[in-house]
C-alpha cells in the first residue's frame, strides 16, 4: 500500500507499529495481532455487586427492532436487580445530532448504540469513551467476532465500540416470479453469468427482474458491494483519497446502469419501489438489507427467499452496517456505572440470539455458529457472508465523504450522467471533504 | 371623597405613576423582547461569530478562519461551491414556482368560500384539512401516489411520468403537493381579511352600478392589500425555507437538483458538524431573503 506523508506522521504519533497496523487495516489475514495493552480491570465482567445504579441507554431502534431490544432489556433488568437500564429511542438522524449535544452539556446517556461508520467521528469529537479495558475485562477478542467487524471500532489504535450485530445486504427473491419465468425458485443465481441469464429469461416473460434504485437505500449499498466485488475500494485505507471513481467503481456502476439500459429494470425507480415491486411480484430480485426479513415475512402469501449476493465481480463482497455499543463521556465518571455497563454489554452480546430474531446477524461468533442461529434460515443465509463484508475506514467524518457517492449514483442510475463522469465529479468533491476533515480532526 | 383620594394618591405616587407610565410600553414589550433577544438576536449575532471559524462545538480547536467560509461559497474550486449554489438554485426555483399558486389559488378559493351557499362550512373544512397533516405524512403518502412505476397518479392519468425522479416533473410534484397541503392556511387568512372589509363599501359600489368584477377590483382587492402583503411575504419566506418536501418526497433527485438550501445547510451543520460553513451559508441565504422581502414591501407600498 502507498505510504503517504499523513500515514507516516500518524505512525510516528502512535509510536511503534501495532497501532498503525490495526488502524490502517493493512495487516491482511496473516499478521499477528494482539489486543491493545491496557491496564487490566479487576472487576469481574459478568457480575455486579455494587450499589443500585440506573443506566440510561439511548439508541435509534425505532423500527421492528425496538420491541426486541426492549424485551432484552426487561430480561436483563429482571436478572440484575441492582442495575436498572432504561431505554430512550430516537430517530437515528436525531440521535446523532442529539447525543453529542447532550454529552457536551453533561446530560449525556450512559451508553448507546452507534453505527460503525460513526464511531471514529464520535471518538475524535470525544463523545464516546475508549473501551479497550471493557474489551479486556470481558475477554473479548477479534476471534470472538470477525476481523472486519472487530477492527471497524478501532480509532487511532484504541477501541471505542463493541460490536452487537452486523446487518449486511442480501439477495431477496420472489419464488413465484422465478417459477413464472421458468427458473428454479429454490436455486437462485450465484454469479454474474447466471444472474444475467435469469434476468434475460425474466425479460422474455415480461418481467423486469432487478429494479435498480437510484436512492441510498439501497442503491449505494449495491454499488459498494459491486465495487468491492470488482476489487475496488471506496476510500484508501487511511482515507487520504477516495478510490471509488477508479476502474472497479466505474465497472460496478456501469453494471447497475446497464440493468436499466437493457430493460432489466424500469427507469426512474422511486424510493423503496424496488422492495415494493418484489412484494407485488413485479420484480424477481431485490438486494436489500437483512432488516427486510421481518417486512417480507409480514406479507401474506408471498413466496420468497434470501441468499448471499451473487458474485458479479472477481470475489464475493457485500455491504454491511454494524450496530456497536459505545459508552458516553461523562462529566463525573462513575465507576459503578461503568462496571454495570460492562455487565450489560456482555449480557446483551451473549443473548444476541434474541436480537438476531429482530433481523440481524449477531456479531458474536459463538452465537452465529450456534444451532439456534442456524435455525433462523434467512438470517443465517445472509450471515454466511460474514467474512466478505466491508466497512468504511475508521476515520472521522468519513460519512461526509461517502455521502457524495449517493448523489453520483442517483444521477447515473437516473441516466443524467455517465457512470464515469458522475463518479469522477463526486471523487473530486469527496477528496476535498477528506482534506477538510483531516484539517478539522487533526488526523 | 373621590377627588380627595385621587389628589392624595397623585400627591403620594406622583413620580412612580409617571415612571410606570413611561415604562408601560416597554413592560408590554418585555416578554417578547426578552424572548427575541435570547432566541433570535443573540444566536444571530453568535452565528456571525461562528461563521468566521472552523466551528465544531465539541472540538477543542475552533480555529478562526476569517472570511474563508464565505469565500469558499464563491470559489468554484471549493468543496461546497457547486452543491451550495445548486441548492440555492433549487430554493429559488421552488419559491418562484410555488408562490404565485400559493397566493392566487387560495384567494380564488376564499372568494368562493366567502359566498353564502349550502355546505359552505364543509368545504371550508375540506380545503383546510390537509394543512393539519404533518409533513412526513403528506410526503410519504404522495411519494407512493406519485411513484413513477407503481404510483396511482400515473395509473389514473394513463401516463408514464417520473414525478419524483426527473425534472421538470420533480418541481411539478413539489409545488403541487405543497399547494395541496398548505393552500388552506392562506385561504383562511384571506377569508378573515375579506370579512374585515366593510359591507357599506360593497353597498356603495352596487349603488354606483359596479358589477362583480368591478367590486372585486375596486373593493375586495384594495381592502385585502395589507392581508396580501402579509400572505406574500410569509409565503415567500416559507417557500424559501422549504425543507421536508425536498427531503422526503424527492430526496434531492435527480442528482441533488431538488435539494433545497435549508436541506444542504442542515446537512453541513448538523450532519457533518461544519457549523462555521453552515452559518456562512445561512447568512448568504438570509441576505437573499432580506433583499426579496424589501423588494416585496416596496412593491406593495408603491401600489397604495
Amino acid at each position: 500500500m502507498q505510504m503517504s506523508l499523513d500515514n507516516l506522521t500518524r505512525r510516528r504519533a502512535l509510536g511503534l507499529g501495532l497501532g498503525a497496523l490495526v488502524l490502517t487495516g493493512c495487516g491482511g489475514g496473516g499478521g499477528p495481532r494482539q489486543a491493545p495493552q491496557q491496564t487490566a480491570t479487576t472487576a469481574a465482567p459478568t457480575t455486579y455487586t455494587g450499589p443500585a445504579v440506573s443506566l440510561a441507554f439511548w439508541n435509534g431502534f425505532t423500527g421492528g427492532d425496538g420491541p426486541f431490544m426492549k424485551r432484552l432489556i426487561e430480561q436483563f433488568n429482571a436478572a440484575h436487580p441492582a442495575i436498572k437500564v432504561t431505554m430512550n429511542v430516537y430517530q437515528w438522524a436525531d440521535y446523532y445530532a442529539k447525543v453529542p449535544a447532550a454529552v457536551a452539556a453533561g446530560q449525556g446517556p450512559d451508553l448507546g448504540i452507534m453505527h460503525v461508520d460513526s464511531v471514529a467521528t464520535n471518538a475524535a469529537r470525544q463523545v464516546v469513551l475508549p473501551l479497550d479495558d471493557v474489551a479486556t475485562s470481558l475477554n473479548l477478542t477479534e476471534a470472538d467476532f470477525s476481523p472486519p467487524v472487530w477492527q471497524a471500532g478501532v480509532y487511532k489504535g484504541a477501541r471505542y465500540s463493541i460490536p452487537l450485530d452486523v446487518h449486511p445486504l442480501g439477495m431477496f427473491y420472489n419464488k413465484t416470479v422465478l417459477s413464472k419465468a421458468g427458473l428454479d425458485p429454490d436455486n437462485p443465481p450465484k454469479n454474474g453469468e447466471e444472474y444475467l441469464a435469469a434476468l434475460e429469461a425474466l425479460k422474455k416473460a415480461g418481467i423486469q427482474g432487478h429494479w435498480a434504485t437510484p436512492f441510498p437505500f439501497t442503491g449505494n449499498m449495491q454499488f459498494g458491494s459491486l465495487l468491492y466485488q470488482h476489487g475496488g475500494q471506496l476510500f484508501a485505507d487511511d482515507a487520504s483519497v477516495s478510490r471509488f471513481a477508479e476502474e472497479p467503481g466505474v465497472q460496478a456502476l456501469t453494471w447497475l446502469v446497464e440493468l436499466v439500459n437493457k430493460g432489466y429494470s424500469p427507469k426512474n425507480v422511486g424510493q423503496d419501489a424496488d422492495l415494493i415491486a418484489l412484494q407485488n411480484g413485479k420484480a424477481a430480485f431485490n438486494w436489500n438489507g437483512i432488516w427486510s426479513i421481518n417486512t417480507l415475512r409480514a406479507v401474506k402469501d408471498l413466496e420468497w427467499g434470501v441468499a448471499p449476493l451473487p458474485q458479479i465481480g472477481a470475489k464475493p463482497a457485500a455491504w454491511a452496517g454494524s450496530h456497536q455499543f459505545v459508552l458516553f463521556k461523562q462529566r463525573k465518571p462513575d465507576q459503578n456505572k461503568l462496571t454495570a455497563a460492562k455487565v450489560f454489554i456482555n449480557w446483551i452480546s451473549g443473548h444476541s440470539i434474541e436480537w438476531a430474531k429482530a433481523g440481524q446477524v449477531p456479531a458474536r461468533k459463538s452465537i452465529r455458529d450456534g444451532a439456534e442461529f442456524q435455525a433462523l434460515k434467512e438470517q443465517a443465509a445472509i450471515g454466511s457472508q460474514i467474512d466478505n463484508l466491508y466497512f468504511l475506514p475508521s476515520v472521522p467524518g468519513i460519512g461526509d465523504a461517502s455521502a457524495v457517492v449517493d448523489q453520483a449514483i442517483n444521477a447515473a442510475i437516473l441516466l443524467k450522467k455517465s457512470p464515469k463522469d458522475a463518479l469522477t465529479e463526486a471523487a473530486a468533491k469527496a477528496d476535498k471533504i477528506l482534506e477538510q476533515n483531516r484539517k478539522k480532526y487533526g488526523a | 371623597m373621590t377627588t380627595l383620594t385621587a389628589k392624595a394618591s397623585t400627591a403620594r405616587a406622583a413620580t412612580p405613576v409617571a415612571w410606570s407610565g413611561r415604562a408601560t410600553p416597554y413592560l408590554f414589550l418585555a416578554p417578547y423582547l426578552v424572548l427575541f433577544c435570547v432566541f433570535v438576536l443573540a444566536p444571530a449575532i453568535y452565528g456571525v461569530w461562528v461563521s468566521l471559524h472552523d466551528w465544531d462545538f465539541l472540538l477543542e480547536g475552533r480555529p478562526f478562519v476569517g472570511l474563508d467560509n464565505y469565500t469558499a461559497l464563491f470559489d468554484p474550486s471549493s468543496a461546497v461551491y457547486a452543491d451550495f449554489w445548486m441548492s440555492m438554485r433549487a430554493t429559488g426555483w421552488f419559491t418562484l414556482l410555488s408562490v404565485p399558486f400559493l397566493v392566487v389559488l387560495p384567494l380564488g378559493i376564499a372568494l368562493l368560500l366567502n359566498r353564502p351557499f349550502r355546505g359552505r362550512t364543509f368545504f371550508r373544512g375540506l380545503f383546510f384539512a390537509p394543512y393539519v397533516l404533518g409533513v412526513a405524512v403528506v410526503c410519504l403518502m404522495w411519494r407512493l401516489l406519485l411513484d413513477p412505476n407503481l404510483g396511482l397518479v400515473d395509473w389514473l392519468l394513463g401516463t408514464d411520468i417520473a414525478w419524483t425522479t426527473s425534472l421538470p416533473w420533480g418541481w411539478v410534484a413539489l409545488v403541487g403537493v405543497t399547494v395541496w397541503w398548505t393552500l388552506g392556511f392562506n385561504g383562511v387568512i384571506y377569508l378573515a381579511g375579506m370579512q374585515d372589509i366593510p359591507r357599506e363599501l360593497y353597498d356603495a359600489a352596487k349603488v354606483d352600478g359596479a358589477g362583480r368584477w368591478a367590486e372585486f377590483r375596486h373593493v375586495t382587492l384594495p381592502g385585502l392589500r395589507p392581508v396580501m402583503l402579509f400572505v406574500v411575504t410569509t409565503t415567500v419566506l416559507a417557500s424559501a425555507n422549504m425543507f421536508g418536501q425536498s427531503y422526503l418526497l424527492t430526496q434531492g433527485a435527480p442528482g441533488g437538483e431538488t435539494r433545497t438550501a435549508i436541506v444542504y445547510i442542515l446537512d453541513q451543520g448538523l450532519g457533518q458538524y461544519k457549523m462555521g460553513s453552515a452559518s456562512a451559508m445561512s447568512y448568504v441565504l438570509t441576505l437573499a431573503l432580506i433583499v426579496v422581502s424589501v423588494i416585496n414591501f416596496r412593491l406593495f407600498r408603491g401600489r397604495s
Side-chain angles (χ1 to χ4, degrees):
Chain A
M1 69 167 291
Q2 253 185 12
M3 192 64 75
S4 68
L5 187 69
D6 171 65
N7 201 353
L8 274 175
T9 41
R10 212 188 259 163
R11 269 169 197 263
R12 204 172 300 149
L14 285 163
L16 286 171
L18 176 88
L21 195 74
V22 176
L23 176 69
T24 56
C26 59
R33 266 192 208 94
Q34 303 162 251
Q37 291 296 307
Q38 287 286 328
T39 46
T41 12
T42 43
T46 46
T47 54
Y48 173 75
T49 48
V53 289
S54 60
L55 296 175
F57 174 40
W58 288 15
N59 59 55
F61 298 134
T62 52
D65 40 10
F68 283 88
M69 184 51 83
K70 195 162 170 265
R71 214 170 307 145
L72 271 173
I73 288 172
E74 278 161 10
Q75 284 175 29
F76 173 84
N77 283 344
H80 300 79
I83 307 173
K84 186 173 170 13
V85 178
T86 52
M87 179 163 92
N88 262 353
V89 180
Y90 300 95
Q91 294 285 343
W92 282 117
D94 292 345
Y95 172 87
Y96 284 115
K98 212 170 273 212
V99 160
V103 169
Q107 305 285 321
D110 300 291
L111 74 167
I113 296 283
M114 276 197 180
H115 291 96
V116 68
D117 46 346
S118 293
V119 171
T121 310
N122 284 284
R125 301 178 81 225
Q126 301 194 18
V127 174
V128 295
L129 294 172
L131 294 182
D132 282 310
D133 63 328
V134 176
T136 321
S137 69
L138 292 178
N139 280 322
L140 294 176
T141 63
E142 188 177 291
D144 295 317
F145 298 90
S146 98
V149 192
W150 183 242
Q151 281 164 28
V154 174
Y155 168 63
K156 288 201 172 178
R159 161 160 307 282
Y160 282 88
S161 61
I162 307 277
L164 166 66
D165 63 45
V166 290
H167 36 272
L169 223 53
M171 179 179 72
F172 293 87
Y173 53 95
N174 185 317
K175 292 185 179 180
T176 320
V177 174
L178 286 180
S179 313
K180 215 187 285 172
L183 297 162
D184 182 357
D186 296 309
N187 190 19
K190 293 188 178 58
N191 57 43
E193 227 167 277
E194 288 173 22
Y195 199 73
L196 291 179
L199 289 176
E200 192 57 43
L202 286 157
K203 190 179 166 186
K204 287 202 178 109
I207 297 157
Q208 292 176 307
H210 179 147
W211 287 33
T213 178
F215 293 97
F217 274 86
T218 59
N220 91 337
M221 300 161 188
Q222 298 183 26
F223 165 72
S225 306
L226 289 165
L227 167 78
Y228 279 79
Q229 288 197 356
H230 282 96
Q233 279 181 288
L234 281 163
F235 300 96
D237 289 329
D238 59 356
S240 53
V241 287
S242 67
R243 297 190 50 188
F244 53 78
E246 292 169 8
E247 197 46 37
V250 177
Q251 282 174 4
L253 190 50
T254 305
W255 191 87
L256 283 172
V257 171
E258 283 300 293
L259 294 177
V260 181
N261 286 332
K262 287 181 183 154
Y264 300 146
S265 161
K267 290 178 188 171
N268 296 306
V269 174
Q271 163 86 56
D272 296 336
D274 48 344
L275 185 62
I276 298 173
L278 182 85
Q279 296 170 34
N280 293 353
K282 290 193 169 225
F285 305 109
N286 182 217
W287 299 9
N288 215 316
I290 188 168
W291 52 82
S292 306
I293 288 176
N294 285 345
T295 313
L296 293 179
R297 199 170 278 157
V299 183
K300 257 199 194 137
D301 301 329
L302 179 64
E303 296 283 324
W304 62 281
V306 63
L309 293 186
Q311 186 187 327
I312 309 294
K315 59 177 188 184
W319 174 93
S322 167
H323 292 126
Q324 309 227 345
F325 281 110
V326 289
L327 294 185
F328 293 107
K329 198 177 164 186
Q330 306 294 331
R331 288 244 165 103
K332 283 188 217 116
D334 180 335
Q335 212 45 57
N336 287 325
K337 282 193 170 196
L338 278 177
T339 313
K342 281 180 208 175
V343 173
F344 176 72
I345 292 174
N346 189 45
W347 190 90
I348 296 279
S349 177
H351 288 72
S352 52
I353 185 64
E354 291 304 315
W355 186 235
K357 290 171 192 163
Q360 309 279 349
V361 177
R364 199 100 172 223
K365 191 167 183 290
S366 55
I367 302 210
R368 244 183 300 121
D369 292 343
E372 218 179 330
F373 179 69
Q374 294 306 320
L376 299 171
K377 208 174 66 195
E378 288 85 10
Q379 279 89 332
I382 294 183
S384 67
Q385 303 175 101
I386 188 87
D387 293 321
N388 303 319
L389 306 179
Y390 72 90
F391 298 96
L392 292 174
S394 191
V395 169
I398 194 71
D400 312 349
S402 68
V404 304
V405 185
D406 295 349
Q407 262 186 46
I409 291 166
N410 190 273
I413 294 185
L414 291 174
L415 310 179
K416 299 290 167 202
K417 284 178 190 164
S418 78
K420 194 172 171 62
D421 288 352
L423 290 172
T424 310
E425 277 169 42
K429 220 183 282 173
D431 287 344
K432 284 174 202 155
I433 293 175
L434 291 173
E435 188 190 327
Q436 273 182 4
N437 283 345
R438 268 199 301 281
K439 229 192 292 174
K440 177 178 163 186
Y441 294 107
Chain B
M1 176 79 175
T2 38
T3 44
L4 214 143
T5 30
K7 216 182 270 169
S9 68
T10 18
R12 236 186 301 124
T15 4
V17 163
W19 180 85
S20 74
R22 243 177 295 144
T24 307
Y26 298 100
L27 285 174
F28 275 117
L29 264 179
Y32 180 73
L33 208 62
V34 168
L35 290 176
F36 178 79
C37 288
V38 172
F39 291 107
V40 179
L41 196 61
I45 294 167
Y46 191 53
V48 176
W49 179 245
V50 168
S51 75
L52 302 175
H53 295 75
D54 192 353
W55 190 282
D56 180 329
F57 69 94
L58 273 171
L59 293 184
E60 304 264 311
R62 292 167 201 165
F64 181 79
V65 294
L67 293 174
D68 281 7
N69 285 327
Y70 292 94
T71 51
L73 297 181
F74 298 95
D75 169 12
S77 69
S78 77
V80 290
Y81 176 87
D83 280 342
F84 176 66
W85 289 107
M86 185 159 73
S87 73
M88 285 290 274
R89 205 164 55 228
T91 295
W93 270 119
F94 179 77
T95 311
L96 213 64
L97 294 171
S98 67
V99 170
F101 289 106
L102 286 170
V103 169
V104 174
L105 272 183
L107 179 62
I109 286 167
L111 281 170
L112 290 177
L113 293 177
N114 201 29
R115 328 176 121 262
F117 63 94
R118 266 176 67 122
R120 185 171 75 163
T121 322
F122 169 75
F123 281 102
R124 283 184 178 180
L126 196 69
F127 281 104
F128 190 74
Y131 189 74
V132 303
L133 296 174
V135 65
V137 177
V138 169
C139 290
L140 285 180
M141 181 177 91
W142 281 102
R143 194 170 80 197
L144 287 176
L145 290 174
L146 293 171
D147 187 282
N149 295 297
L150 303 166
L152 189 69
V153 173
D154 271 333
W155 185 77
L156 285 176
L157 296 176
T159 51
D160 192 12
I161 294 170
W163 297 101
T164 54
T165 56
S166 75
L167 296 181
W169 298 110
W171 291 122
V172 176
L174 287 169
V175 170
V177 168
T178 307
V179 168
W180 172 82
W181 178 38
T182 62
L183 104 174
F185 181 76
N186 283 351
V188 166
I189 308 261
Y190 280 131
L191 262 181
M194 282 173 198
Q195 277 151 22
D196 268 355
I197 301 172
R199 271 264 29 109
E200 304 86 74
L201 292 180
Y202 287 101
D203 297 338
K206 251 182 216 122
V207 170
D208 286 347
R212 207 163 260 167
W213 172 241
E215 248 182 33
F216 174 71
R217 263 191 68 195
H218 300 292
V219 181
T220 312
L221 265 190
L224 281 178
R225 181 152 292 158
V227 176
M228 286 281 253
L229 173 65
F230 174 81
V231 167
V232 172
T233 311
T234 53
T235 306
V236 167
L237 293 182
S239 293
N241 284 327
M242 191 269 267
F243 175 85
Q245 298 95 303
S246 157
Y247 191 71
L248 295 164
L249 193 64
T250 62
Q251 292 206 323
E257 302 244 19
T258 59
R259 178 167 68 171
T260 58
I262 298 281
V263 177
Y264 184 58
I265 290 171
L266 182 93
D267 176 58
Q268 279 280 304
L270 291 176
Q272 308 195 13
Y273 310 113
K274 288 168 185 144
M275 280 112 188
S277 174
S279 303
M281 288 174 196
S282 62
Y283 279 103
V284 172
L285 177 64
T286 309
L287 204 68
L289 291 183
I290 289 175
V291 171
V292 172
S293 298
V294 167
I295 294 174
N296 202 352
F297 267 90
R298 283 273 157 80
L299 279 179
F300 275 91
R301 197 189 299 157
R303 257 188 264 151
S304 59

